[in-house]
Amino acid sequence: MNEDGSGIIILDQSLLPGEEKYIELKTPEEFYEAIRTLQVRGAPAIGIFAAFAMAVIAGREAEPKSIRSCCGASLTSDETFMNTMKKFGDYLKSSRPTAVNLAWAVDRIIHAVRIRIQQARREDPLRPDANAGARVLAETVLKEAEAIRNEDIEMCLSISRHGLSLLSDGDGILTHCNAGPLATSRYGTALGPIILGTEQGMKFHVFADETRPLLQGARLTTYELMKAGADVTLICDNMASIVMSRGLVNACFVGCDRIAANGDTANKIGTSGVAILAGHYGIPFYVLGPTSTVDLSCPDGSRIPIEERNPEEIVSKYYDRPVAPEGVKCFNPAFDVTPAGLITAIITEKGILKPPYTDSLRDALK
Ligand code: MRU
């Protein structure tokens, strides 16, 4: 957040690696657009960002009554405050549907506000309509946002340690998309073990899939690993098979956007192809993510909503001129689902979970 709590300052990921530009966002529309356009991206990072965006709007609700709130209601009761939070939370949730961390963080904030309102009523039993007050509720929101961020830092460190225990010095690792510090709070998930191990003097050879069409691997994973001093080689997505066939990959490490109750996992488009190749070549395929990415209400991968994005991303976004005929039909899903059967283990902050995931995930979330 910025100094007076009126906005959020982020590193605009859409401009990396060419430009390291920090931007300040203040309005609901700016928050929404930042998520939609991937200025902030990566499942845990958008959850944390959404939580702080809610803290900004909550702080505005706590300003004097003459100032109108973001969503049209004027600041009054706890009920009004809650309605504003819910309305803004739903708006944010609609920006990107697949990563469950976004909805998880919004719902967690709403829950914290609800608990605080109930507490105020319990503290004043003679007045069932007692208000906690917008200032107190805004503080609650900010505290919860900070807790979400701090817990993510701890979770990433723990995931990194568990992931590192699966690696040996000199290993070759293939990764897809970007699941590093930019996509989380610190260390990252899939890149966490690599960065942690590199800090400890270990040497790995990382193959980063470029990750068409938005090039998170080419733009962000290489940028982060080079900064961390790790050895990284960029490959096009369709080159994964040849590096695997040559024995250059000992393990695949990928992040996740939503893990269903049976272990089916949504991650960046192309991830399931990597898993199929890894299965063919007998290479372990690991999914790394915090338990906030697990959605037990989703029984299997067929229920995970898959975001579809603008065809312009395939045809022209990173090219001087369009690479396909004008008007060509395109299909641009942003994620795919890797079936649980192709996943060797799911590495969470709670430990290394093994199949059957229906049991191990349920136990980890108890
Ligand atoms: O569309 P993106 O760039 O937000 O997709 C991100 C991914 O698929 C990541 O692998 C995932 O969010 C894990 S981030 C720790």
Side-chain angles (χ1 to χ4, degrees), residues 38 41-44 96 177-179 183-184 189 216 255-257 267-268 335:
L38 277 58
R41 51 148 295 285
R96 295 196 77 192
C177 193
N178 171 266
T184 61
T189 54
Q216 289 92 333
C256 46
D257 288 81
N267 191 50
K268 178 53 52 193
F335 300 92

Side-chain angles (χ1 to χ4, degrees), residues 40-350:
V40 56
R41 51 148 295 285
I46 57 179
I48 296 165
F49 176 81
F52 279 100
M54 290 187 82
V56 170
I57 299 306
R60 227 162 270 171
E61 288 296 289
E63 284 169 1
K65 221 175 167 186
S66 56
I67 298 173
R68 299 286 295 175
S69 75
C70 80
C71 296
S74 62
L75 181 141
T76 47
S77 62
D78 287 2
E79 199 187 338
T80 304
F81 184 96
M82 180 58 119
N83 286 340
T84 302
M85 286 292 98
K86 279 187 181 160
K87 199 168 166 187
F88 178 58
D90 285 345
Y91 176 56
L92 282 183
K93 279 186 198 178
S94 69
S95 60
R96 295 196 77 192
T98 303
V100 75
N101 309 60
L102 173 57
W104 170 86
V106 168
D107 291 344
R108 197 170 141 172
I109 297 277
I110 302 284
H111 182 69
V113 172
R114 185 174 297 121
I115 296 290
R116 189 64 193 83
I117 291 173
Q118 285 166 358
Q119 186 191 332
R121 291 190 183 152
R122 269 200 313 276
E123 283 166 0
D124 201 347
L126 297 179
R127 284 182 49 225
D129 59 343
N131 270 321
R135 192 178 297 269
V136 168
L137 294 181
E139 277 165 18
T140 303
V141 174
L142 180 57
K143 258 197 201 144
E144 198 64 20
E146 284 168 350
I148 288 172
R149 182 204 41 216
N150 295 343
E151 285 166 26
D152 192 72
I153 294 172
E154 287 306 313
M155 288 195 284
C156 284
L157 189 56
S158 178
I159 290 166
S160 304
R161 288 191 181 122
H162 290 303
L164 187 55
S165 73
L166 297 166
L167 293 174
S168 303
D169 204 18
D171 271 354
I173 301 147
L174 186 136
T175 190
H176 190 76
C177 193
N178 171 266
L182 285 166
T184 61
S185 49
R186 209 170 287 171
Y187 280 106
T189 54
L191 298 191
I194 299 162
I195 295 175
L196 190 65
T198 304
E199 279 177 8
Q200 296 173 7
M202 293 172 81
K203 300 252 181 285
F204 305 116
H205 310 287
V206 182
F207 291 95
D209 279 355
E210 64 172 349
T211 318
R212 286 259 305 150
L214 291 179
L215 309 179
Q216 289 92 333
R219 296 188 303 106
L220 308 175
T221 296
T222 55
Y223 164 86
E224 290 193 309
L225 290 179
M226 287 170 83
K227 269 198 166 190
D231 176 54
V232 56
T233 301
L234 175 63
I235 57 172
C236 298
D237 297 340
N238 53 8
M239 297 168 189
S241 179
I242 191 167
V243 293
M244 288 187 190
S245 73
R246 289 187 179 181
L248 299 173
V249 179
N250 300 93
C252 298
F253 275 23
V254 299
C256 46
D257 288 81
R258 191 183 301 229
I259 303 176
N262 72 342
D264 290 351
T265 296
N267 191 50
K268 178 53 52 193
I269 190 72
T271 303
S272 66
V274 174
I276 291 165
L277 287 175
H280 176 78
Y281 290 108
I283 297 167
F285 180 89
Y286 298 110
V287 167
L288 297 92
T291 48
S292 53
T293 310
V294 179
D295 182 2
L296 291 184
S297 73
C298 198
D300 60 54
S302 68
R303 304 287 190 87
I304 300 178
I306 300 293
E307 175 185 5
E308 282 189 36
R309 296 183 63 86
N310 194 324
E312 173 263 336
E313 292 177 351
I314 302 181
V315 172
S316 55
K317 186 166 172 82
Y318 288 109
Y319 301 98
D320 284 344
R321 61 184 91 132
V323 290
E326 203 184 324
V328 67
K329 274 196 282 181
C330 291
F331 174 49
N332 186 18
F335 300 92
D336 62 20
V337 175
T338 300
L342 294 175
I343 300 171
T344 311
I346 298 175
I347 297 144
T348 71
E349 77 280 8
K350 302 264 176 80

